[in-house]
Amino acid sequence: MTIAVTVTALLLITVAAFTSCTADAAMAWAIRGGMLALLAAQVVGMWMIVHGIGLLDAGVSPLTHSMTTYGQAGAMKYAHAVPMHAIQVLPGLAWLMGFGRWSGRARLLAISAAIAGYASLFAVALGRTALGLEPFDLVSASKLLYLVPALLLGAASVATAAALRR
């Protein structure tokens, strides 16, 4: 019941972020992106619950088997945590951008890159989990998929840090 109330509240806050947010454009989009990611985290959380209940119903013991491992090594907690923290990272980055000498358009472009980076990081995490792969299998060629989110988030972060130094 607590989860249902929480998800409903998050949904209402997300709708409010899209309909009545009074922040500047970069911060508004950071909040909206973070809230959408937080809702995505709730969907992954529901998947975790359904998966764990299915394992319990099948007679699997939680003492000997992880209830949040999907397939061979898919870390559902990782796919759940990545989007959950976007609500902290994206507005935090937009807030820091406010201390630099950025035009509104430059801030919006940088936060858009950060949102795209975070969304692609979530896509990689979710994809690896759904395929039953470890979050960071350094032997696998699929680790190269992390380059896209790293470049997008890195570019936004470096640009912010450079603006703050000036």
Side-chain angles (χ1 to χ4, degrees):
M1 194 56 133
T2 303
I3 293 170
V5 170
T6 301
V7 171
T8 302
L10 291 175
L11 187 58
L12 293 172
I13 294 168
T14 303
V15 169
F18 277 90
T19 59
S20 60
C21 187
T22 59
D24 65 80
M27 181 60 82
W29 279 106
I31 292 167
R32 291 169 183 151
M35 290 306 299
L36 287 173
L38 192 54
L39 287 174
Q42 302 314 303
V43 171
V44 175
M46 288 179 213
W47 178 34
M48 290 170 61
I49 291 168
V50 169
H51 175 70
I53 290 171
L55 290 174
L56 289 173
D57 288 346
V60 175
S61 171
L63 298 175
T64 59
H65 186 81
S66 169
M67 298 287 111
T68 60
T69 300
Y70 189 79
Q72 182 140 356
M76 297 175 93
K77 287 182 179 182
Y78 175 65
H80 180 57
V82 166
M84 186 176 296
H85 294 286
I87 192 60
Q88 297 163 317
V89 172
L90 296 173
L93 188 59
W95 177 74
L96 284 173
M97 287 177 190
F99 292 103
R101 294 184 185 157
W102 294 59
S103 68
R105 184 180 170 133
R107 286 181 65 212
L108 185 57
L109 182 63
I111 207 66
S112 296
I115 290 168
Y118 222 99
S120 58
L121 178 61
F122 174 56
V124 172
L126 188 60
R128 291 188 64 82
T129 300
L131 292 172
L133 302 173
E134 297 176 31
F136 299 102
D137 178 9
L138 299 180
V139 179
S140 169
S142 65
K143 70 180 176 280
L144 295 175
L145 292 174
Y146 282 111
L147 288 177
V148 172
L151 290 173
L152 289 167
L153 285 167
S157 300
V158 168
T160 301
L164 291 174
R165 278 189 63 136
R166 290 185 217 145

